[in-house]
Amino acid sequence: MFATSPAESVHALDVSGLAVPEVTFWTITEGDVVLGCVALKEIEAGHGELKSMRTDAAARGRGLGARLLEHVLDEAARRGYRRLSLETGSQEFFRPARTLYAKYGFRECGPFAGYELDPNSIFMTLELEP
């Protein structure tokens, strides 16, 4: 993320940020090769945040992002979340991710959970059915 966004606008979780009780982390692999990852962070009861979703550049175009997102949506529903939110970059590099999120019903919103307005960030949210 540091290659595409200024340091103060990078909100990706590092290993220590992923290793906390409120975060669950999954990978998608092919053999021993990690092709993608995603995390779900509980912000508060009923509200989760999609974090650190990525697919390896060599594996893009295979639907892995959609599979990861669908997994998180299923898990959020299983947990009874009423809302799932995310922060992503506003740069062209992030357009495919924003398009994928919009396809699944995410809509732009204001900052949430301590985020602040940032021209390098776009905030999105999805209301989930109970």
Side-chain angles (χ1 to χ4, degrees):
M1 298 299 93
F2 289 97
T4 57
S5 301
E8 66 275 8
S9 297
V10 174
H11 303 289
L13 297 176
D14 62 11
V15 172
S16 65
L18 293 169
V20 297
E22 62 271 16
V23 174
T24 307
F25 180 73
W26 297 274
T27 61
I28 191 165
T29 62
E30 191 169 75
D32 293 336
V33 178
V34 176
L35 300 178
C37 63
V38 67
L40 177 59
K41 178 180 181 181
E42 183 165 310
I43 297 172
E44 60 189 16
H47 188 189
E49 180 181 4
L50 180 73
K51 295 291 294 182
S52 302
M53 189 164 122
R54 295 189 184 48
T55 56
D56 183 82
R60 292 198 180 125
R62 295 174 49 186
L64 301 178
R67 286 178 55 194
L68 290 166
L69 182 55
E70 288 169 5
H71 181 78
V72 169
L73 290 170
D74 289 345
E75 179 63 17
R78 189 190 69 73
R79 294 181 184 187
Y81 289 172
R82 294 178 308 280
R83 182 175 166 203
L84 189 61
S85 301
L86 63 91
E87 178 275 338
T88 191
S90 61
Q91 298 87 352
E92 186 62 26
F93 175 83
F94 297 99
R95 181 180 300 279
R98 293 191 309 266
T99 300
L100 176 66
Y101 301 140
K103 177 181 173 183
Y104 280 82
F106 284 85
R107 299 292 173 248
E108 288 191 31
C109 65
F112 60 92
Y115 286 106
E116 296 181 6
L117 283 176
D118 179 343
N120 297 298
S121 291
I122 291 179
F123 305 96
M124 302 179 84
T125 197
L126 174 67
E127 298 297 324
L128 301 171
E129 302 212 8

